[in-house]
Amino acid sequence: MVATVFLFYVFSIVAIASAFMVIAARNPVHSVLFLILAFVNAAGLFMLLGAEFLAMILVVVYVGAVAVLFLFVVMMLDVDFTVLRQGFLQYLPLGATIGAIVLIELVFVLGGWTLQPATVTMRAAPLAPNVTNTAALGRILYTQYVYFFQAAGFILLTAMIGSIVLTLRSRRGVKRQSIDAQNLRDRKVAVQLRKVPSRAGL
């Protein structure tokens, strides 16, 4: 119990500090690295709560894909952030006003939130001792919610096909590989025999 509490405070402090450094760091590459550190510590907190599936998804999806993609994009674009910071003071009043409005809304939402007594009796049934969190979630997804799961997969597939169709454009003068033309080639087209004179090029 003492080790669990100690790890909870360590993960929480590091996650909060790294989240602050994401917006405080001047170098965007450092910001992405601090974002990865925040994700890893959040995954540690999920592990302490017994939600190992959420921890795995957080590490694989966000750290392994999204954060690394951000890092490569920032490094490849090489954006000059000194030019972007020149208009910071110009938009500071507007940004501060929007931030204050969002903060006031959060205060009203959190202040007016109450726990209904009936929700205590509506808790989900506890898991069996020999069933992990990931196995229980898999059983629910592939039995009770299998149609919704398949529908979500078709929606993602449609979005992927749409993005490919929107970005795939035929450009003139660009050499492309034609698999059908390569398969239909014969010896007469692929091989040319030429008699080259001595000490002379083609």
Side-chain angles (χ1 to χ4, degrees):
M1 189 65 181
V2 177
T4 304
V5 175
F6 175 75
L7 290 176
F8 171 78
Y9 282 109
V10 169
F11 287 144
S12 301
I13 293 173
V14 176
I16 294 173
S18 57
F20 175 76
M21 290 303 299
V22 170
I23 60 175
R26 295 181 177 272
N27 193 339
V29 178
H30 295 169
S31 298
V32 177
L33 293 177
F34 281 116
L35 181 64
I36 294 174
L37 182 60
F39 285 153
V40 172
N41 286 276
L45 291 175
F46 279 127
M47 288 294 294
L48 293 178
L49 292 174
E52 65 274 2
F53 180 78
L54 293 178
M56 180 179 61
I57 291 297
L58 189 64
V59 172
V60 172
V61 176
Y62 287 95
V63 177
V66 178
V68 176
L69 179 63
F70 286 166
L71 183 61
F72 278 102
V73 168
V74 169
M75 293 176 65
M76 286 189 298
L77 291 180
D78 194 15
V79 180
D80 190 4
F81 288 90
T82 57
V83 178
L84 297 177
R85 293 193 185 98
Q86 290 179 357
F88 175 75
L89 296 177
Q90 180 181 358
Y91 298 102
L92 183 60
L94 179 61
T97 304
I98 295 175
I101 293 173
V102 172
L103 182 61
I104 293 172
E105 290 178 353
L106 289 175
V107 169
F108 278 112
V109 170
L110 295 177
W113 181 80
T114 56
L115 181 63
Q116 295 291 333
T119 56
V120 180
T121 60
M122 296 174 61
R123 293 179 180 177
L127 297 176
N130 56 350
V131 178
T132 61
N133 189 9
T134 306
L137 185 60
R139 291 179 182 177
I140 294 176
L141 280 178
Y142 293 107
T143 54
Q144 186 176 357
Y145 298 100
V146 62
Y147 295 109
F148 298 101
F149 184 75
Q150 294 295 330
F154 280 117
I155 292 173
L156 293 176
L157 179 62
T158 305
M160 183 179 66
I161 295 174
S163 62
I164 293 174
V165 171
L166 291 175
T167 56
L168 184 61
R169 300 176 182 176
S170 59
R171 299 178 182 178
R172 296 181 179 179
V174 178
K175 294 183 178 180
R176 297 183 181 274
Q177 184 180 10
S178 179
I179 304 298
D180 295 333
Q182 290 181 356
N183 293 330
L184 294 175
R185 293 175 68 187
D186 54 2
R187 184 180 178 185
K188 296 180 180 180
V189 178
V191 180
Q192 294 182 1
L193 299 178
R194 294 187 180 184
K195 187 176 181 180
V196 181
S198 179
R199 298 181 182 181
L202 293 176

Short mmCIF file of all heavy atoms in Angstrom, two decimals, residues 4-63:
data_model
loop_
_atom_site.label_atom_id
_atom_site.label_comp_id
_atom_site.label_asym_id
_atom_site.label_seq_id
_atom_site.Cartn_x
_atom_site.Cartn_y
_atom_site.Cartn_z
N THR A 4 2.28 1.78 -3.46
CA THR A 4 1.27 2.28 -4.40
C THR A 4 1.04 3.77 -4.23
O THR A 4 0.96 4.51 -5.22
CB THR A 4 -0.05 1.51 -4.19
OG1 THR A 4 0.19 0.11 -4.32
CG2 THR A 4 -1.09 1.96 -5.19
N VAL A 5 0.95 4.22 -2.98
CA VAL A 5 0.77 5.65 -2.73
C VAL A 5 1.99 6.44 -3.19
O VAL A 5 1.86 7.52 -3.80
CB VAL A 5 0.50 5.89 -1.23
CG1 VAL A 5 0.44 7.37 -0.93
CG2 VAL A 5 -0.81 5.21 -0.81
N PHE A 6 3.18 5.91 -2.94
CA PHE A 6 4.40 6.58 -3.39
C PHE A 6 4.45 6.71 -4.91
O PHE A 6 4.76 7.78 -5.45
CB PHE A 6 5.62 5.81 -2.86
CG PHE A 6 6.93 6.36 -3.35
CD1 PHE A 6 7.44 7.54 -2.83
CD2 PHE A 6 7.64 5.70 -4.34
CE1 PHE A 6 8.65 8.05 -3.28
CE2 PHE A 6 8.85 6.20 -4.81
CZ PHE A 6 9.34 7.37 -4.27
N LEU A 7 4.12 5.63 -5.62
CA LEU A 7 4.12 5.67 -7.08
C LEU A 7 3.05 6.61 -7.61
O LEU A 7 3.25 7.29 -8.62
CB LEU A 7 3.92 4.27 -7.64
CG LEU A 7 5.08 3.29 -7.46
CD1 LEU A 7 4.70 1.91 -7.97
CD2 LEU A 7 6.33 3.79 -8.19
N PHE A 8 1.90 6.67 -6.90
CA PHE A 8 0.85 7.58 -7.33
C PHE A 8 1.33 9.03 -7.27
O PHE A 8 1.13 9.80 -8.22
CB PHE A 8 -0.38 7.40 -6.45
CG PHE A 8 -1.44 8.43 -6.67
CD1 PHE A 8 -2.28 8.36 -7.78
CD2 PHE A 8 -1.60 9.50 -5.79
CE1 PHE A 8 -3.25 9.32 -8.00
CE2 PHE A 8 -2.57 10.46 -5.99
CZ PHE A 8 -3.40 10.37 -7.11
N TYR A 9 1.96 9.42 -6.19
CA TYR A 9 2.45 10.79 -6.07
C TYR A 9 3.58 11.07 -7.06
O TYR A 9 3.66 12.17 -7.63
CB TYR A 9 2.91 11.07 -4.64
CG TYR A 9 1.77 11.33 -3.68
CD1 TYR A 9 1.43 10.40 -2.70
CD2 TYR A 9 1.02 12.49 -3.78
CE1 TYR A 9 0.38 10.64 -1.83
CE2 TYR A 9 -0.04 12.74 -2.90
CZ TYR A 9 -0.34 11.80 -1.94
OH TYR A 9 -1.40 12.04 -1.08
N VAL A 10 4.43 10.09 -7.30
CA VAL A 10 5.53 10.30 -8.26
C VAL A 10 4.97 10.49 -9.66
O VAL A 10 5.33 11.45 -10.37
CB VAL A 10 6.50 9.10 -8.22
CG1 VAL A 10 7.48 9.16 -9.38
CG2 VAL A 10 7.25 9.08 -6.90
N PHE A 11 4.06 9.61 -10.08
CA PHE A 11 3.47 9.73 -11.42
C PHE A 11 2.67 11.02 -11.55
O PHE A 11 2.71 11.68 -12.61
CB PHE A 11 2.57 8.53 -11.71
CG PHE A 11 3.32 7.26 -11.98
CD1 PHE A 11 2.83 6.04 -11.55
CD2 PHE A 11 4.52 7.27 -12.68
CE1 PHE A 11 3.52 4.86 -11.80
CE2 PHE A 11 5.22 6.11 -12.92
CZ PHE A 11 4.72 4.90 -12.49
N SER A 12 1.95 11.40 -10.50
CA SER A 12 1.12 12.61 -10.58
C SER A 12 1.99 13.87 -10.67
O SER A 12 1.73 14.75 -11.50
CB SER A 12 0.22 12.69 -9.34
OG SER A 12 -0.61 11.57 -9.24
N ILE A 13 3.02 13.95 -9.83
CA ILE A 13 3.87 15.14 -9.85
C ILE A 13 4.61 15.27 -11.18
O ILE A 13 4.68 16.36 -11.77
CB ILE A 13 4.85 15.08 -8.66
CG1 ILE A 13 4.10 15.21 -7.35
CG2 ILE A 13 5.90 16.19 -8.78
CD1 ILE A 13 4.95 15.00 -6.11
N VAL A 14 5.14 14.16 -11.68
CA VAL A 14 5.87 14.21 -12.95
C VAL A 14 4.92 14.53 -14.10
O VAL A 14 5.27 15.28 -15.02
CB VAL A 14 6.61 12.89 -13.20
CG1 VAL A 14 7.29 12.89 -14.55
CG2 VAL A 14 7.65 12.65 -12.11
N ALA A 15 3.70 13.99 -14.06
CA ALA A 15 2.73 14.28 -15.13
C ALA A 15 2.33 15.75 -15.13
O ALA A 15 2.25 16.37 -16.20
CB ALA A 15 1.50 13.39 -14.96
N ILE A 16 2.09 16.32 -13.95
CA ILE A 16 1.71 17.74 -13.89
C ILE A 16 2.87 18.63 -14.32
O ILE A 16 2.70 19.60 -15.07
CB ILE A 16 1.25 18.08 -12.46
CG1 ILE A 16 -0.05 17.34 -12.12
CG2 ILE A 16 1.03 19.59 -12.31
CD1 ILE A 16 -0.49 17.49 -10.69
N ALA A 17 4.08 18.29 -13.86
CA ALA A 17 5.26 19.09 -14.24
C ALA A 17 5.53 19.01 -15.74
O ALA A 17 5.82 20.03 -16.38
CB ALA A 17 6.48 18.63 -13.45
N SER A 18 5.43 17.82 -16.31
CA SER A 18 5.68 17.68 -17.74
C SER A 18 4.58 18.34 -18.56
O SER A 18 4.85 18.92 -19.63
CB SER A 18 5.79 16.20 -18.11
OG SER A 18 4.63 15.49 -17.72
N ALA A 19 3.33 18.31 -18.08
CA ALA A 19 2.24 19.01 -18.77
C ALA A 19 2.46 20.52 -18.76
O ALA A 19 2.16 21.21 -19.75
CB ALA A 19 0.90 18.66 -18.14
N PHE A 20 2.97 21.04 -17.65
CA PHE A 20 3.29 22.48 -17.61
C PHE A 20 4.43 22.81 -18.55
O PHE A 20 4.42 23.86 -19.22
CB PHE A 20 3.63 22.88 -16.17
CG PHE A 20 4.08 24.30 -16.04
CD1 PHE A 20 3.16 25.34 -16.10
CD2 PHE A 20 5.42 24.61 -15.88
CE1 PHE A 20 3.57 26.66 -15.99
CE2 PHE A 20 5.84 25.92 -15.76
CZ PHE A 20 4.91 26.95 -15.83
N MET A 21 5.42 21.93 -18.63
CA MET A 21 6.56 22.20 -19.51
C MET A 21 6.20 22.09 -20.99
O MET A 21 6.91 22.63 -21.84
CB MET A 21 7.70 21.23 -19.19
CG MET A 21 8.36 21.48 -17.86
SD MET A 21 9.03 23.15 -17.69
CE MET A 21 10.22 23.18 -19.02
N VAL A 22 5.10 21.39 -21.30
CA VAL A 22 4.66 21.33 -22.69
C VAL A 22 4.34 22.71 -23.22
O VAL A 22 4.66 23.06 -24.37
CB VAL A 22 3.45 20.39 -22.82
CG1 VAL A 22 2.82 20.50 -24.20
CG2 VAL A 22 3.87 18.96 -22.58
N ILE A 23 3.69 23.54 -22.40
CA ILE A 23 3.32 24.89 -22.82
C ILE A 23 4.36 25.93 -22.44
O ILE A 23 4.30 27.06 -22.93
CB ILE A 23 1.95 25.28 -22.24
CG1 ILE A 23 2.00 25.26 -20.70
CG2 ILE A 23 0.87 24.35 -22.74
CD1 ILE A 23 0.74 25.75 -20.04
N ALA A 24 5.29 25.58 -21.57
CA ALA A 24 6.29 26.55 -21.12
C ALA A 24 7.60 26.45 -21.88
O ALA A 24 8.37 27.40 -21.90
CB ALA A 24 6.57 26.37 -19.63
N ALA A 25 7.87 25.31 -22.51
CA ALA A 25 9.14 25.14 -23.21
C ALA A 25 9.17 26.00 -24.47
O ALA A 25 8.17 26.11 -25.19
CB ALA A 25 9.36 23.67 -23.57
N ARG A 26 10.31 26.60 -24.73
CA ARG A 26 10.46 27.45 -25.92
C ARG A 26 10.72 26.62 -27.17
O ARG A 26 10.32 27.00 -28.27
CB ARG A 26 11.60 28.44 -25.71
CG ARG A 26 11.32 29.45 -24.60
CD ARG A 26 12.47 30.42 -24.46
NE ARG A 26 12.19 31.43 -23.44
CZ ARG A 26 11.55 32.57 -23.68
NH1 ARG A 26 11.15 32.86 -24.92
NH2 ARG A 26 11.33 33.43 -22.71
N ASN A 27 11.39 25.51 -27.01
CA ASN A 27 11.69 24.66 -28.16
C ASN A 27 10.53 23.70 -28.38
O ASN A 27 10.13 22.97 -27.47
CB ASN A 27 12.98 23.87 -27.89
CG ASN A 27 13.52 23.23 -29.15
OD1 ASN A 27 12.80 23.03 -30.12
ND2 ASN A 27 14.80 22.91 -29.14
N PRO A 28 9.95 23.67 -29.59
CA PRO A 28 8.81 22.76 -29.82
C PRO A 28 9.18 21.29 -29.73
O PRO A 28 8.34 20.47 -29.36
CB PRO A 28 8.35 23.13 -31.24
CG PRO A 28 9.51 23.80 -31.87
CD PRO A 28 10.24 24.49 -30.77
N VAL A 29 10.41 20.95 -30.05
CA VAL A 29 10.85 19.56 -29.91
C VAL A 29 10.84 19.15 -28.44
O VAL A 29 10.40 18.04 -28.08
CB VAL A 29 12.24 19.36 -30.53
CG1 VAL A 29 12.72 17.93 -30.35
CG2 VAL A 29 12.22 19.71 -32.01
N HIS A 30 11.28 20.04 -27.56
CA HIS A 30 11.24 19.76 -26.13
C HIS A 30 9.80 19.63 -25.64
O HIS A 30 9.51 18.81 -24.75
CB HIS A 30 11.98 20.86 -25.37
CG HIS A 30 13.44 20.91 -25.67
ND1 HIS A 30 14.25 21.97 -25.27
CD2 HIS A 30 14.25 20.05 -26.34
CE1 HIS A 30 15.49 21.73 -25.67
NE2 HIS A 30 15.51 20.58 -26.32
N SER A 31 8.90 20.43 -26.21
CA SER A 31 7.50 20.34 -25.82
C SER A 31 6.92 18.97 -26.16
O SER A 31 6.18 18.38 -25.36
CB SER A 31 6.69 21.43 -26.53
OG SER A 31 7.12 22.72 -26.15
N VAL A 32 7.26 18.44 -27.33
CA VAL A 32 6.76 17.12 -27.71
C VAL A 32 7.35 16.05 -26.81
O VAL A 32 6.66 15.09 -26.41
CB VAL A 32 7.08 16.84 -29.19
CG1 VAL A 32 6.63 15.44 -29.58
CG2 VAL A 32 6.40 17.86 -30.08
N LEU A 33 8.62 16.19 -26.45
CA LEU A 33 9.24 15.21 -25.54
C LEU A 33 8.59 15.25 -24.16
O LEU A 33 8.37 14.20 -23.54
CB LEU A 33 10.74 15.48 -25.44
CG LEU A 33 11.55 15.24 -26.73
CD1 LEU A 33 13.00 15.62 -26.51
CD2 LEU A 33 11.43 13.79 -27.17
N PHE A 34 8.27 16.45 -23.66
CA PHE A 34 7.56 16.54 -22.39
C PHE A 34 6.14 15.98 -22.51
O PHE A 34 5.61 15.41 -21.54
CB PHE A 34 7.50 17.99 -21.93
CG PHE A 34 8.77 18.47 -21.29
CD1 PHE A 34 9.52 19.49 -21.85
CD2 PHE A 34 9.24 17.90 -20.11
CE1 PHE A 34 10.69 19.94 -21.27
CE2 PHE A 34 10.41 18.34 -19.51
CZ PHE A 34 11.14 19.35 -20.09
N LEU A 35 5.53 16.11 -23.69
CA LEU A 35 4.20 15.52 -23.89
C LEU A 35 4.27 13.99 -23.83
O LEU A 35 3.39 13.34 -23.24
CB LEU A 35 3.65 15.97 -25.25
CG LEU A 35 2.26 15.47 -25.64
CD1 LEU A 35 1.21 16.01 -24.66
CD2 LEU A 35 1.93 15.89 -27.06
N ILE A 36 5.31 13.41 -24.41
CA ILE A 36 5.50 11.97 -24.32
C ILE A 36 5.69 11.55 -22.86
O ILE A 36 5.14 10.53 -22.41
CB ILE A 36 6.70 11.54 -25.18
CG1 ILE A 36 6.41 11.78 -26.66
CG2 ILE A 36 7.06 10.08 -24.94
CD1 ILE A 36 7.58 11.52 -27.57
N LEU A 37 6.46 12.33 -22.10
CA LEU A 37 6.65 12.02 -20.68
C LEU A 37 5.34 12.09 -19.91
O LEU A 37 5.07 11.25 -19.03
CB LEU A 37 7.68 12.98 -20.08
CG LEU A 37 8.05 12.78 -18.62
CD1 LEU A 37 8.66 11.39 -18.40
CD2 LEU A 37 9.01 13.87 -18.15
N ALA A 38 4.48 13.06 -20.25
CA ALA A 38 3.18 13.17 -19.59
C ALA A 38 2.30 11.97 -19.91
O ALA A 38 1.61 11.43 -19.03
CB ALA A 38 2.49 14.48 -20.01
N PHE A 39 2.33 11.52 -21.15
CA PHE A 39 1.55 10.34 -21.53
C PHE A 39 2.03 9.09 -20.79
O PHE A 39 1.21 8.26 -20.36
CB PHE A 39 1.63 10.12 -23.03
CG PHE A 39 0.80 11.09 -23.83
CD1 PHE A 39 1.14 11.41 -25.14
CD2 PHE A 39 -0.33 11.67 -23.28
CE1 PHE A 39 0.38 12.30 -25.87
CE2 PHE A 39 -1.09 12.57 -24.01
CZ PHE A 39 -0.74 12.88 -25.31
N VAL A 40 3.33 8.93 -20.69
CA VAL A 40 3.87 7.75 -20.01
C VAL A 40 3.47 7.74 -18.54
O VAL A 40 3.09 6.70 -17.98
CB VAL A 40 5.40 7.70 -20.17
CG1 VAL A 40 6.00 6.60 -19.31
CG2 VAL A 40 5.76 7.46 -21.63
N ASN A 41 3.52 8.88 -17.88
CA ASN A 41 3.13 8.94 -16.46
C ASN A 41 1.62 8.75 -16.30
O ASN A 41 1.18 8.14 -15.31
CB ASN A 41 3.55 10.28 -15.86
CG ASN A 41 5.04 10.35 -15.62
OD1 ASN A 41 5.53 9.90 -14.59
ND2 ASN A 41 5.78 10.89 -16.57
N ALA A 42 0.83 9.23 -17.25
CA ALA A 42 -0.61 8.97 -17.20
C ALA A 42 -0.90 7.48 -17.37
O ALA A 42 -1.80 6.93 -16.72
CB ALA A 42 -1.33 9.78 -18.29
N ALA A 43 -0.11 6.81 -18.21
CA ALA A 43 -0.25 5.36 -18.34
C ALA A 43 0.11 4.66 -17.04
O ALA A 43 -0.53 3.66 -16.66
CB ALA A 43 0.64 4.86 -19.48
N GLY A 44 1.10 5.17 -16.33
CA GLY A 44 1.43 4.61 -15.02
C GLY A 44 0.29 4.76 -14.03
O GLY A 44 0.02 3.84 -13.23
N LEU A 45 -0.41 5.89 -14.07
CA LEU A 45 -1.56 6.08 -13.19
C LEU A 45 -2.69 5.11 -13.54
O LEU A 45 -3.38 4.59 -12.65
CB LEU A 45 -2.06 7.53 -13.30
CG LEU A 45 -1.14 8.60 -12.72
CD1 LEU A 45 -1.68 9.99 -13.01
CD2 LEU A 45 -0.97 8.40 -11.22
N PHE A 46 -2.89 4.87 -14.83
CA PHE A 46 -3.91 3.89 -15.23
C PHE A 46 -3.53 2.49 -14.74
O PHE A 46 -4.41 1.70 -14.35
CB PHE A 46 -4.07 3.88 -16.74
CG PHE A 46 -4.95 4.99 -17.26
CD1 PHE A 46 -4.51 5.84 -18.25
CD2 PHE A 46 -6.22 5.18 -16.75
CE1 PHE A 46 -5.31 6.86 -18.72
CE2 PHE A 46 -7.04 6.18 -17.21
CZ PHE A 46 -6.58 7.04 -18.21
N MET A 47 -2.25 2.17 -14.76
CA MET A 47 -1.83 0.87 -14.26
C MET A 47 -2.10 0.73 -12.77
O MET A 47 -2.50 -0.34 -12.29
CB MET A 47 -0.34 0.67 -14.54
CG MET A 47 -0.01 0.43 -16.00
SD MET A 47 -0.67 -1.13 -16.62
CE MET A 47 0.28 -2.29 -15.65
N LEU A 48 -1.91 1.81 -12.02
CA LEU A 48 -2.21 1.76 -10.59
C LEU A 48 -3.70 1.59 -10.33
O LEU A 48 -4.09 1.00 -9.32
CB LEU A 48 -1.71 3.04 -9.91
CG LEU A 48 -0.18 3.23 -9.86
CD1 LEU A 48 0.16 4.56 -9.21
CD2 LEU A 48 0.48 2.09 -9.11
N LEU A 49 -4.53 2.09 -11.23
CA LEU A 49 -5.98 1.95 -11.08
C LEU A 49 -6.49 0.58 -11.55
O LEU A 49 -7.67 0.29 -11.40
CB LEU A 49 -6.69 3.04 -11.87
CG LEU A 49 -6.54 4.47 -11.35
CD1 LEU A 49 -7.17 5.47 -12.30
CD2 LEU A 49 -7.15 4.59 -9.96
N GLY A 50 -5.60 -0.22 -12.12
CA GLY A 50 -6.02 -1.53 -12.61
C GLY A 50 -6.56 -1.52 -14.02
O GLY A 50 -7.09 -2.53 -14.47
N ALA A 51 -6.41 -0.41 -14.73
CA ALA A 51 -6.88 -0.32 -16.12
C ALA A 51 -5.68 -0.46 -17.04
O ALA A 51 -5.20 0.50 -17.64
CB ALA A 51 -7.60 1.01 -16.35
N GLU A 52 -5.20 -1.69 -17.16
CA GLU A 52 -3.99 -1.91 -17.96
C GLU A 52 -4.25 -1.74 -19.45
O GLU A 52 -3.34 -1.39 -20.22
CB GLU A 52 -3.41 -3.30 -17.69
CG GLU A 52 -4.29 -4.46 -18.12
CD GLU A 52 -5.30 -4.85 -17.07
OE1 GLU A 52 -5.33 -4.19 -16.01
OE2 GLU A 52 -6.04 -5.81 -17.31
N PHE A 53 -5.51 -1.97 -19.88
CA PHE A 53 -5.82 -1.80 -21.30
C PHE A 53 -5.71 -0.33 -21.70
O PHE A 53 -5.16 0.01 -22.76
CB PHE A 53 -7.21 -2.33 -21.60
CG PHE A 53 -7.61 -2.19 -23.04
CD1 PHE A 53 -7.13 -3.08 -23.98
CD2 PHE A 53 -8.48 -1.18 -23.44
CE1 PHE A 53 -7.49 -2.96 -25.31
CE2 PHE A 53 -8.83 -1.06 -24.76
CZ PHE A 53 -8.35 -1.95 -25.70
N LEU A 54 -6.24 0.57 -20.87
CA LEU A 54 -6.14 2.00 -21.16
C LEU A 54 -4.68 2.46 -21.13
O LEU A 54 -4.27 3.31 -21.93
CB LEU A 54 -6.97 2.79 -20.15
CG LEU A 54 -8.48 2.61 -20.23
CD1 LEU A 54 -9.17 3.42 -19.14
CD2 LEU A 54 -9.00 3.01 -21.60
N ALA A 55 -3.89 1.91 -20.21
CA ALA A 55 -2.47 2.25 -20.16
C ALA A 55 -1.76 1.80 -21.43
O ALA A 55 -0.94 2.54 -22.00
CB ALA A 55 -1.83 1.62 -18.94
N MET A 56 -2.08 0.61 -21.91
CA MET A 56 -1.46 0.11 -23.12
C MET A 56 -1.87 0.94 -24.33
O MET A 56 -1.03 1.27 -25.19
CB MET A 56 -1.85 -1.36 -23.32
CG MET A 56 -1.27 -2.01 -24.55
SD MET A 56 -1.75 -3.73 -24.69
CE MET A 56 -3.54 -3.57 -24.81
N ILE A 57 -3.15 1.28 -24.41
CA ILE A 57 -3.63 2.10 -25.53
C ILE A 57 -2.97 3.48 -25.50
O ILE A 57 -2.60 4.04 -26.54
CB ILE A 57 -5.16 2.22 -25.49
CG1 ILE A 57 -5.80 0.87 -25.81
CG2 ILE A 57 -5.65 3.28 -26.45
CD1 ILE A 57 -5.49 0.37 -27.19
N LEU A 58 -2.82 4.04 -24.32
CA LEU A 58 -2.21 5.37 -24.19
C LEU A 58 -0.77 5.35 -24.67
O LEU A 58 -0.32 6.29 -25.34
CB LEU A 58 -2.29 5.83 -22.73
CG LEU A 58 -1.91 7.28 -22.45
CD1 LEU A 58 -2.85 8.23 -23.14
CD2 LEU A 58 -1.90 7.55 -20.96
N VAL A 59 -0.05 4.30 -24.33
CA VAL A 59 1.35 4.22 -24.74
C VAL A 59 1.47 3.92 -26.23
O VAL A 59 2.25 4.55 -26.96
CB VAL A 59 2.09 3.15 -23.90
CG1 VAL A 59 3.49 2.91 -24.44
CG2 VAL A 59 2.16 3.58 -22.45
N VAL A 60 0.68 2.96 -26.71
CA VAL A 60 0.81 2.53 -28.11
C VAL A 60 0.30 3.61 -29.07
O VAL A 60 0.97 3.95 -30.05
CB VAL A 60 0.06 1.20 -28.33
CG1 VAL A 60 0.03 0.84 -29.81
CG2 VAL A 60 0.73 0.09 -27.55
N VAL A 61 -0.89 4.15 -28.78
CA VAL A 61 -1.51 5.08 -29.71
C VAL A 61 -0.91 6.48 -29.59
O VAL A 61 -0.41 7.05 -30.57
CB VAL A 61 -3.04 5.12 -29.49
CG1 VAL A 61 -3.68 6.16 -30.39
CG2 VAL A 61 -3.64 3.75 -29.76
N TYR A 62 -0.92 7.03 -28.38
CA TYR A 62 -0.50 8.41 -28.23
C TYR A 62 1.02 8.57 -28.25
O TYR A 62 1.55 9.41 -28.96
CB TYR A 62 -1.08 9.00 -26.94
CG TYR A 62 -2.56 9.27 -27.04
CD1 TYR A 62 -3.49 8.35 -26.60
CD2 TYR A 62 -3.03 10.45 -27.59
CE1 TYR A 62 -4.85 8.59 -26.71
CE2 TYR A 62 -4.38 10.72 -27.70
CZ TYR A 62 -5.29 9.78 -27.25
OH TYR A 62 -6.63 10.03 -27.37
N VAL A 63 1.70 7.76 -27.46
CA VAL A 63 3.16 7.88 -27.43
C VAL A 63 3.77 7.30 -28.70
O VAL A 63 4.66 7.91 -29.31
CB VAL A 63 3.73 7.17 -26.18
CG1 VAL A 63 5.24 7.22 -26.18
CG2 VAL A 63 3.18 7.82 -24.92
#
